[in-house]
Amino acid sequence: MDIFNRVPSPIVFDHLAHVPEPTGINDPLFARVRGLIDKGKTWIKLSGAYQDTKVGPPTYADSSAVARAYAKAAPERMVWGSDWPHPSEQQVKPDDARLFDLLADWAPDETARHRILVQNPEALYGFPKTA
């Protein structure tokens, strides 16, 4: 973790930072990542709910708890991603529509979702601002 504190550029953790399940938000890694987020240069990609889940589809309830906790704590540091074409999944690919629908659970507030889907990617990736 010390090296992340020294990196001068923004840091983006994808796949919910791979917080181990089933410990999820109680895992020490979650607290460490939250600490980096709170310093203002770390972003989380709300993606890959299927990657570390022990529960599985359609709710990915364990991974969803991690995503909800991130989105509630720092919606201004979250971006969403589909992780398409799901290269880690060799047998059965997850349903992208269901994965997108999870965002409504993770960030129930429409303003927060707009921020995650539009404003935050503009800020992080330097996209032109939308009208």
Side-chain angles (χ1 to χ4, degrees):
M1 295 306 285
D2 289 339
I3 195 167
F4 292 125
N5 287 312
R6 294 192 308 266
V7 172
S9 62
I11 299 166
V12 181
F13 289 108
D14 62 358
H15 308 121
L16 307 173
H18 285 291
V19 173
E21 295 296 353
T23 52
I25 62 172
N26 296 312
D27 193 273
L29 179 61
F30 179 80
R32 289 183 188 122
V33 171
R34 274 293 320 280
L36 291 170
I37 292 167
D38 292 344
K39 290 181 179 177
K41 67 175 187 175
T42 299
W43 299 78
I44 298 294
K45 192 175 286 182
L46 300 174
S47 67
Y50 56 88
Q51 293 228 341
D52 297 302
T53 186
K54 302 296 183 216
V55 174
T59 64
Y60 303 97
D62 48 0
S63 295
S64 287
V66 171
R68 271 192 306 279
Y70 282 138
K72 182 177 180 180
E76 73 282 3
R77 306 308 281 171
M78 304 293 122
V79 294
W80 182 84
S82 70
D83 199 36
W84 184 88
H86 314 289
S88 66
E89 303 305 295
Q90 300 302 311
Q91 302 300 317
V92 178
K93 303 287 184 178
D95 182 324
D96 290 302
R98 284 187 187 257
L99 292 175
F100 182 70
D101 287 347
L102 291 173
L103 185 59
D105 172 53
W106 299 348
D109 177 68
E110 186 176 340
T111 302
R113 284 194 309 275
H114 184 265
R115 183 169 206 157
I116 291 165
L117 292 169
V118 178
Q119 295 169 311
N120 292 351
E122 288 172 347
L124 175 61
Y125 300 116
F127 294 152
K129 297 207 180 291
T130 58

